[in-house]
Amino acid sequence: MNQGRIAYDVQGSGPLLLLVPGMGELRSTYRFLTPALVAAGYTVATTDLRGHGDSDATFTSYGDVDTAEDIGRLLRELGRPAVLIGNSMAAGSAVIVAAEHPKLINGLVLIGPFVRQPATNAVENLLFRILMARPWAAMVWKAYMPTLYAGTKPLDFTEYRQEAIKSMKRPGYQRAFSRTTRTDHVRASECLSAVRSPTLVLMGEKDPDFKDPKDEANWIANTLNGSAVMVADAGHYPHSQQPEHTSAAILNFLSPLNDHA
């Protein structure tokens, strides 16, 4: 049953890349990365999560598994496989798609990836759920966003944050965001052993979502038989904080995939 629409746009020509943001972000989080990838000869599709940006907030469920389902539908609509670039929880969704629908995926780029449950206790989980409750979720997220952008912030960070929060405050969208924050990464963790796609892990050296970002990046890369690149002076969003470094690492990863396409 169709519960709503997922917004996306497509630019460029060449092998397909699908870029998916993390929760609380808009597809314009890739506003610096997309032009570099298009200029390098790729078709770049960017999408909003359900309940975010230009996508509808009419869905009955949100999270990693739901996003994986949306990615699968979108790739079928686009009519060809892609290298999937996912940030944060969308990286977990990317792992699910790669495991369950390998013919849709030519490769994975996982940025600041959540692909397993973080080591938190019940009190921390309850506090986070309270903070992300609907009445004040947008206000709390607005205050929290700068900490996730540890290191160099984009020059237009203030404007981008205003756009994201304005979007979240529309009727129904704060509720959708709050429900998205309740996702877990259990299914992604269960899927890791089934992934066979070439994989690049990109992690900001200052990513505050991980106790030891480098250790987490290396663990994920080793688990998926991939490679890891650490991005200096960046937090959870290296693609917008350090786009030149990030795009160079991604293009370096993509080059041999094109040779074998």
Side-chain angles (χ1 to χ4, degrees):
M1 181 178 179
N2 182 20
Q3 299 175 9
R5 299 170 301 171
I6 298 297
Y8 70 95
D9 53 41
V10 181
Q11 303 175 51
S13 60
L16 179 62
L17 312 177
L18 175 57
L19 282 55
V20 188
M23 69 179 187
E25 294 282 304
L26 306 175
R27 67 185 189 272
S28 56
T29 188
Y30 294 113
R31 61 198 179 279
F32 306 119
L33 182 59
T34 294
L37 299 177
V38 169
Y42 292 91
T43 300
V44 179
T46 55
T47 182
D48 283 320
L49 298 179
R50 56 173 64 184
H52 290 64
D54 294 323
S55 292
D56 290 340
T58 52
F59 295 87
T60 59
S61 59
Y62 299 84
D64 286 21
V65 174
D66 304 286
T67 299
E69 293 174 356
D70 294 337
I71 290 169
R73 292 190 189 99
L74 178 51
L75 288 175
R76 292 185 183 93
E77 181 169 319
L78 293 171
R80 51 178 168 144
V83 172
L84 190 50
I85 300 176
N87 174 225
S88 196
M89 64 160 269
S93 302
V95 165
I96 295 171
V97 179
E100 297 184 347
H101 306 286
K103 291 183 179 180
L104 295 177
I105 305 299
N106 290 331
L108 297 175
V109 178
L110 309 178
I111 304 175
F114 278 107
V115 298
R116 60 175 174 172
Q117 283 296 94
T120 55
N121 58 46
V123 173
E124 291 172 324
N125 292 337
L126 178 60
L127 177 60
F128 182 76
R129 185 157 184 168
I130 292 172
L131 287 172
M132 294 300 168
R134 180 171 46 179
W136 47 76
M139 179 183 67
V140 172
W141 189 251
K142 181 179 181 180
Y144 187 53
M145 280 182 74
T147 68
L148 294 173
Y149 282 82
T152 297
K153 292 179 177 59
L155 293 177
D156 65 349
F157 174 72
T158 298
E159 293 78 11
Y160 173 76
R161 180 170 66 156
Q162 289 173 344
E163 180 187 1
I165 299 305
K166 181 180 179 181
S167 175
M168 192 180 294
K169 287 183 175 179
R170 291 173 297 162
Y173 282 82
Q174 189 165 211
R175 174 181 176 272
F177 168 70
S178 182
R179 295 186 67 185
T180 305
T181 67
R182 300 175 191 174
T183 191
D184 62 53
H185 312 296
V186 172
R187 182 59 187 152
S189 180
E190 293 171 344
C191 286
L192 289 171
S193 62
V195 173
R196 298 293 179 267
S197 303
T199 300
L200 170 66
V201 178
L202 282 167
M203 186 80 78
E205 289 183 351
K206 297 183 177 181
D207 194 326
D209 271 339
F210 303 96
K211 183 178 180 180
D212 187 333
K214 185 175 183 178
D215 183 69
E216 184 69 10
N218 287 334
W219 181 86
I220 297 169
N222 290 336
T223 300
L224 296 176
N225 295 311
S227 58
V229 172
M230 301 302 297
V231 182
D233 203 27
H236 201 50
Y237 307 105
H239 51 280
S240 63
Q241 295 180 264
Q242 299 290 348
E244 291 185 4
H245 187 161
T246 302
S247 61
I250 292 174
L251 291 172
N252 184 61
F253 167 73
L254 293 174
S255 180
L257 300 187
N258 297 332
D259 293 342
H260 292 91

